[in-house]
Amino acid sequence: MNTLRTRRNPFFLKCKDAAALASAQLDEPLSWSQRFGFQLHLAICGWCRRYARQLAFLQLCIRRLPSEAPENVKLSDQARQRIQAVVIQAHERKN
Amino acid sequence: MTPGGEPSLAAGAERAGVDPAVWVRDYGDLLFRCAVARVRNVASAEDLVQVTFLAALKSLDSFRGKAPEKHWLTGILMNKIGDYFRRIARENRAGLENLDDAEQECFKRDGFSADCWIHRLGPKKWAAQEASLDQKEFWATLRQCCSRLPVKLSEVYLMRELDGKSTTEICELLSVSPNHVGVILHRARAGLRRCLELRWFGRAATGEPKP
């Protein structure tokens, strides 16, 4: 991942790099060496294990967020009338 | 409210039983919910709904009712949201450049363990994670946390998570480098994680993990 500063040893990650990879792996597959370094780091670092778990949990939550939206999110009456008027007008003009 | 009337319907749409006069009533709220979840700004979301209906009217002839009307309209809305982001990105490139990193201060600055978690500030244990999912208050907190993120961050992040856009697609949409998108997404996640930790899990948070 190019966000990481170049280090002497790509397999010896610091927590900061591991945190970036914990996010990156949710977006696209890591390269072989990234995965290796990341897993190696997770094996010795409880903080980053926890961090990666939490990011994964967060992703799950965010994806469920719309279906948990309260039903009361609605167009305001004003907006509804305005849009209705515009749509009807455009529709009539078309025909 | 059906001044649009049956006889004036376009041929293709008529076959599919589409009546634009009832769109706002039937789909207005649905589209609005979709839009407001992604762009957050109520006024922009309203505009997007309106633009969607107008675009739908224009392409009414080509709609043959293959997909349900609802999905057809939602699809148009998603395209319009894409346009909206592209416009925002063009108008306000700077907005995506200077976003501070909430997590930066959680890592040690120098010494042998530079860039390691400062234990006091590192990720705390989240108690009863799964059980939170059933609580209304949890979702309210999460929504609040989303709205506390800088707008640019949350919009890019929601584009990624809700619309399943790949980083490559987001790069093209906003014309920024993949590298930059990665940073934006990470900052959004880090900000949300921290916010949830403070405002939800914080009550029961405990210290160091057992490796």
Side-chain angles (χ1 to χ4, degrees), chain A residues 31-69:
Chain A
S31 72
W32 181 86
S33 62
Q34 284 172 336
R35 209 161 56 232
F36 186 81
F38 183 54
Q39 292 302 332
L40 203 63
H41 182 87
L42 290 193
I44 57 164
C45 180
W47 293 96
C48 289
R49 272 205 301 282
R50 179 184 274 174
Y51 186 81
R53 249 196 337 265
Q54 290 176 349
L55 287 197
F57 175 73
L58 185 67
Q59 184 181 48
L60 185 124
C61 292
I62 288 291
R63 290 186 171 174
R64 260 182 67 174
L65 194 58
S67 59
E68 301 286 341

Side-chain angles (χ1 to χ4, degrees), chain B residues 11-208:
Chain B
E14 197 168 26
R15 236 173 296 144
V18 174
D19 181 7
V22 297
W23 276 352
V24 179
R25 190 194 69 200
D26 289 354
Y27 305 111
D29 289 332
L30 175 89
L31 294 185
F32 179 67
R33 262 198 293 275
C34 280
V36 90
R38 288 164 180 82
V39 304
R40 282 200 1 211
N41 177 337
V42 173
S44 310
E46 289 173 357
D47 288 347
L48 282 167
V49 173
Q50 178 171 325
V51 169
T52 300
F53 285 136
L54 292 180
L57 273 178
K58 268 198 192 130
S59 57
L60 198 55
D61 298 334
S62 62
F63 178 66
R64 291 282 182 276
K66 268 185 204 139
E69 202 177 2
K70 183 166 122 182
H71 295 168
W72 177 59
L73 287 170
T74 317
I76 299 178
L77 175 67
M78 288 310 161
N79 282 332
K80 294 297 165 192
I81 291 176
D83 292 344
Y84 168 83
F85 282 127
R86 261 185 292 267
R87 198 171 59 239
I88 292 282
R90 250 201 325 272
E91 283 167 7
N92 193 7
R93 284 295 289 279
L96 285 173
E97 306 295 336
N98 316 305
L99 294 164
D100 60 332
D101 189 345
E103 215 169 54
Q104 207 64 27
E105 66 204 50
C106 299
F107 296 100
K108 288 177 190 150
R109 275 179 191 282
D110 38 34
F112 175 71
S113 52
D115 293 343
C116 295
W117 292 105
I118 297 171
H119 288 191
R120 184 168 48 84
L121 300 173
K124 307 266 189 302
K125 187 165 192 227
W126 289 2
Q129 226 171 259
E130 300 301 322
S132 308
L133 295 176
D134 298 327
Q135 290 174 260
K136 271 208 181 68
E137 296 80 4
F138 172 76
W139 297 102
T141 312
L142 185 57
R143 223 166 285 122
Q144 260 173 29
C145 285
C146 277
S147 62
R148 290 169 72 92
L149 280 181
V151 180
K152 300 289 161 232
L153 280 191
S154 74
E155 288 186 343
V156 175
Y157 179 58
L158 293 177
M159 205 178 342
R160 167 77 191 98
E161 298 293 21
L162 296 185
D163 303 327
K165 291 226 189 306
S166 69
T167 35
T168 331
E169 286 171 306
I170 298 177
C171 294
E172 282 164 14
L173 197 62
L174 303 182
S175 46
V176 292
S177 72
N179 193 359
H180 196 67
V181 173
V183 173
I184 289 174
L185 291 174
H186 183 208
R187 285 184 186 171
R189 290 192 178 106
L192 272 182
R193 196 205 66 80
R194 234 164 106 101
C195 181
L196 265 193
E197 184 164 287
L198 287 173
R199 298 175 153 253
W200 181 257
F201 295 104
R203 299 162 310 176
T206 55
E208 305 195 12

Side-chain angles (χ1 to χ4, degrees), chain A residues 75-93:
Chain A
L75 279 172
S76 68
D77 289 339
Q78 270 178 329
R80 185 187 307 276
Q81 280 162 17
R82 195 180 65 228
I83 297 173
Q84 176 76 24
V86 172
V87 170
I88 295 296
Q89 207 185 10
H91 186 45
E92 278 168 356
R93 206 178 317 135

